[in-house]
Structures are given as C-alpha cells and as structure tokens.
Amino acid sequence: MHHALGDRELDAFIVFSSAAGVWGGAGQGSYAAANAALDALVEYRRARGLVGASVAWGPWAESGMAADEAVRSRLGRGGVRPLEPKAAVGILGSASGCFTVADVDWERFVPGVTALRASRLWDEMAPQGATTSEQVGGAVVLRDRLVGVVGVARRAMVTDVVRGQVAAVLGFADADGLDVSKSFRDLGFDSLTAVEFRNALAAETGLKLPSTLVFDHPTPSALAEFLLGRLPDASPDEARDAGTELDRLEAALLALPAQEVARLRVTSRLQQLVKRLDGTSTDDGAAGISAKIEAATSDDIFDLIDNEIGTR
C-alpha cells in the first residue's frame, strides 16, 4: 500500500503492529521483527513528510491470542493485562506517529523484563516507583537466603524454589505434588514457558541463566543440582551457635518427604546422636537403641525431633 500510494496526500495512513515489536516476546522473535518493520515504515514515511501512524497493541480481551486461558494467565503473571476493546478503539482518533497501547501492571512487569539485564528503556518509561528486578530481589534473592544454610537443608531450599517456579509457570495450584524427577517436557513445558521459567528463576536466584536452561538440565532435580553448583557456598567463617543450627536441622527434617527420611536413615542417625550426647554408649545400651530404631515409625521419628530438638 505504501508503494502503491506513493507521495499522494492522505488524511491518514495507520498500521497496526504489536507490543512484541517494542519490547520483544518469549518465542516471538520473527513476529516481533515483522511488527518492528511496520513501525520503521511509519518512521520512514514521516521522515519524508508523509502522514503515518503505527499502533503497537498489547493483547486484547475477548479475542486474539489473549482469548486463550493459558496465554492470558501467562501474560498476567508477566504484568500485561488484556485491553478492553472499547477503551482501546477510542484511542485511534488521536493516532499519530509510533506509539504503544497496553494495559501494564508495572510492579509485575518491570522486574520480569529486567530479570536478566538492566534496561534504559524501562528506567525512562516506567512510572516513578516501579522497581527493577535488582531492587525487588535485593536482600531476598535465593543466594542471600542461603547464607549459613548447608547440606540437606540447602539442597531442600533450592529444590523447593525450582519446584515452586515450575508450578507457577505451569499454573499448578500446588507445588508439593510435583515430581522433581520428571522431565520438563513431560511436565508440560514448551518454548514460551521455558523462557518465562528461566526469567523467573533468574530473578529469584540472582543468577544469569541461559535460555536453554530446561534443555541443558532436563528435570527439576537436575536443575536444582546445577543451581547448587552456581550459588555461592556458605561462608566457613560464619559464626554459628548450636541453637541456630538445631533450628535449621529441625526445619530441614520436617520438610523432608517420608521416603527421603528413610533414604537418609534419619531415625538411626538421630538416635545415635542422642546416645552420644547422653553419654550412654555402652554395648547393652546400643543394642537396646538399635532394636528401638528398627521398630520406629515415622511418627516416632517426629516425636523424637519434637522432644529432643524442639516443638514443631
């Protein structure tokens, strides 16, 4: 149409593009580039003294991609709400140049789009008070919460973060039942959810993570092991008192599923520890304790923790 009309004088020349051409979109590289080309065309026309306007729309309610519940949910988690059609159409009367029309929840949106790197665009565009991922993460990113946490408790905390982010991205109501040994593909990941998951995990951990994260580490369990290797170890010089360490141990053990309690022989190890602390390491005492360990149930284990370490 641009070539057909040439330099003819027009009242208006309006094209519709997409917000994906302005700030990108997960899995939408070609789509974003095509829409950015429309914006460039309008800029070219205006530079030649011709009329032109390009409206980069955000998702619309009631139709289009955002009509799909899964897509709408994903957009909402990223801070972009579907546009109400009547309100959106009303903007067209003043269309001029290149501009974007989108309903944005800035407190959700800005931390997500700056999760991997800072952006001058959002520093200037976002309303004052909207925070970047660095400001949001601050003292509460995972690597800060892990300070002083070691061993099983450290692994459990990282695994819980991965499990929670998987559940959030896939829209699961409860993360507890998620099988961390199941592949991301079998859990329902696609290219879009993989990128969303990577961004969310980068913001949560404070790490720079590759876009191929779920393909390089194909299960939540494998990914947790990878993250453990990337996150800084607890400082060996950190002062720890016995009471604090017991609190950490209690929290870690109570968070373990029953099969993990059995695999780690938690009962026998705790019994042995109690025996050593009480100074009752005689052969007869050991035999009696061994018999009790073998007969102990899960409730007995947790009762021991309650009695010897503290109330749950």
Side-chain angles (χ1 to χ4, degrees):
M1 183 180 294
H2 164 72
H3 289 296
L5 293 172
D7 293 338
R8 188 177 305 174
E9 186 174 342
L10 302 172
D11 292 330
F13 183 96
I14 301 175
V15 299
F16 289 171
S17 64
S18 168
V22 179
W23 61 67
Q28 295 181 313
S30 298
Y31 178 72
N35 282 282
L38 288 176
D39 297 339
L41 172 62
V42 167
E43 292 291 359
Y44 173 74
R45 286 182 58 85
R46 289 170 62 82
R48 294 184 57 193
L50 303 173
V51 296
S54 177
V55 186
W57 296 108
W60 283 54
E62 302 177 12
S63 64
M65 290 185 292
D68 181 89
E69 175 60 33
V71 174
R72 187 165 58 251
S73 176
R74 183 182 301 143
L75 290 169
R77 292 194 300 273
V80 180
R81 298 176 289 239
L83 290 163
E84 290 298 325
K86 286 185 179 180
V89 170
I91 296 171
L92 290 176
S94 58
S96 178
C98 295
F99 61 98
T100 304
V101 181
D103 187 358
V104 177
D105 178 349
W106 293 104
E107 289 302 318
R108 283 177 175 262
F109 180 79
V110 174
V113 296
T114 59
L116 299 181
R117 55 186 174 275
S119 169
R120 287 292 301 277
L121 172 65
W122 301 117
D123 287 345
E124 297 182 11
M125 290 288 296
Q128 189 171 5
T131 51
T132 66
S133 62
E134 291 182 357
Q135 294 169 318
V136 170
V140 297
V141 294
L142 178 62
R143 62 185 175 192
D144 293 324
R145 299 202 306 272
L146 284 171
V147 171
V149 182
V150 297
V152 175
R154 187 178 183 85
R155 177 172 280 98
M157 186 178 291
V158 174
T159 302
D160 283 346
V161 166
V162 173
R163 184 189 286 113
Q165 291 294 350
V166 170
V169 167
L170 295 178
F172 295 167
D174 184 11
D176 292 340
L178 194 146
D179 185 354
V180 295
S181 66
K182 198 171 184 179
S183 72
F184 287 109
R185 178 175 296 177
D186 290 340
L187 286 169
F189 270 68
D190 57 24
S191 59
L192 292 178
T193 49
V195 173
E196 182 185 352
F197 175 67
R198 185 277 307 268
N199 291 348
L201 203 57
E204 178 77 11
T205 62
L207 297 173
K208 290 187 176 181
L209 301 171
S211 58
T212 56
L213 190 67
V214 301
F215 305 104
D216 297 337
H217 312 281
T219 68
S221 179
L223 178 54
E225 289 297 323
F226 166 73
L227 293 175
L228 281 166
R230 291 283 306 276
L231 291 161
D233 293 331
S235 171
D237 300 324
E238 183 177 321
R240 302 186 182 95
D241 62 83
T244 299
E245 291 305 305
L246 284 173
D247 289 340
R248 294 186 195 279
L249 175 62
E250 178 184 10
L253 292 178
L254 291 176
L256 289 174
Q259 62 268 27
E260 193 70 0
V261 170
R263 186 181 73 81
L264 295 172
R265 296 175 54 248
V266 170
T267 309
S268 63
R269 292 172 69 179
L270 284 173
Q271 293 280 14
Q272 290 294 324
L273 176 60
V274 171
K275 180 183 67 175
R276 290 171 63 187
L277 290 174
D278 287 344
T280 57
S281 56
T282 63
D283 291 340
D284 291 340
I289 291 175
S290 296
K292 290 180 180 179
I293 291 172
E294 293 299 324
T297 65
S298 295
D299 287 336
D300 294 331
I301 295 171
F302 289 118
D303 286 340
L304 174 66
I305 295 172
D306 289 343
N307 293 332
E308 299 298 333
I309 300 178
T311 302
R312 277 183 282 174

